[in-house]
Amino acid sequence: NAGVTQTPKFRILKIGQSMTLQCAQDMNHNYMYWYRQDPGMGLKLIYYSVGAGITDKGEVPNGYNVSRSTTEDFPLRLELAAPSQTSVYFCASTVPDDYGYTFGSGTRLTVV
Amino acid sequence: DQQVKQNSPSLSVQEGRISILNCDYTNSMFDYFLWYKKYPAEGPTFLISISSIKDKNEDGRFTVFLNKSAKHLSLHIVPSQPGDSAVYFCAARQIQGAQKLVFGQGTRLTINP
């Protein structure tokens, strides 16, 4: 049972490049989330999804897009990378009425 | 506007003593509070939670206290062990909507031998 798997673990992007951060869970969780962690700032919610085909913006969605075509996968897309998107990105999942998210191990992204 | 605040970026405690991590919140609509523990290069892991209708929840060495009138919660670790050295995040859930969590900034706990 892998839990929540994030790929890649590390990535360096040039300004203006695009990339997709992958997130997959094998626990049949309905709810999935993307957070970013900046130093000293805690985790901020980017996007979330309550099921396949349903996504919504979180606190800091600008510059990102998501899709949820299956229950298992919740990729995060950066279209035009900016230095402000340098961060550690965490994907998480849970089920209704279970407050303990399962987090992936994170993707460390640097935009130069 | 930081709805969940952890005002201590770091805390150092001697092994065997009590560690107390604090968290304040501003939103009265939070109905559930959680603590997560994070080691370097790993994702956060769920530690303990408390409903807003309770004032204490205990799980082994970990106890969370909630003071609703002060909008304050704390995590007590007794006795502290070297493996407890990590970053601890306080989080809160709003009553409405998809179990989204709002996180504090985190407190780095170091347990000294």
Side-chain angles (χ1 to χ4, degrees), chain A residues 10-95:
Chain A
F10 304 95
R11 183 73 185 267
I12 298 175
L13 275 184
K14 294 184 178 179
I15 294 171
Q17 286 186 321
S18 301
M19 77 164 293
T20 299
L21 282 67
Q22 301 291 344
C23 175
Q25 53 89 10
D26 60 0
M27 299 169 286
N28 203 32
H29 285 178
N30 306 85
Y31 295 175
M32 296 187 74
Y33 312 84
W34 275 105
Y35 284 86
R36 59 177 285 173
Q37 184 194 5
D38 299 320
M41 298 297 291
L43 285 79
K44 301 287 187 184
L45 181 64
I46 306 171
Y47 270 94
Y48 66 98
S49 168
V50 298
I54 306 169
T55 63
D56 209 345
K57 296 178 181 179
E59 186 182 358
V60 289
N62 291 345
Y64 307 94
N65 274 302
V66 293
S67 59
R68 184 97 182 268
S69 56
T70 66
T71 299
E72 294 78 20
D73 299 297
F74 190 40
L76 178 71
R77 179 82 178 161
L78 283 72
E79 288 295 346
L80 292 170
S84 61
Q85 293 176 305
T86 294
S87 188
V88 181
Y89 292 83
F90 290 101
C91 179
S93 70
T94 192
V95 292

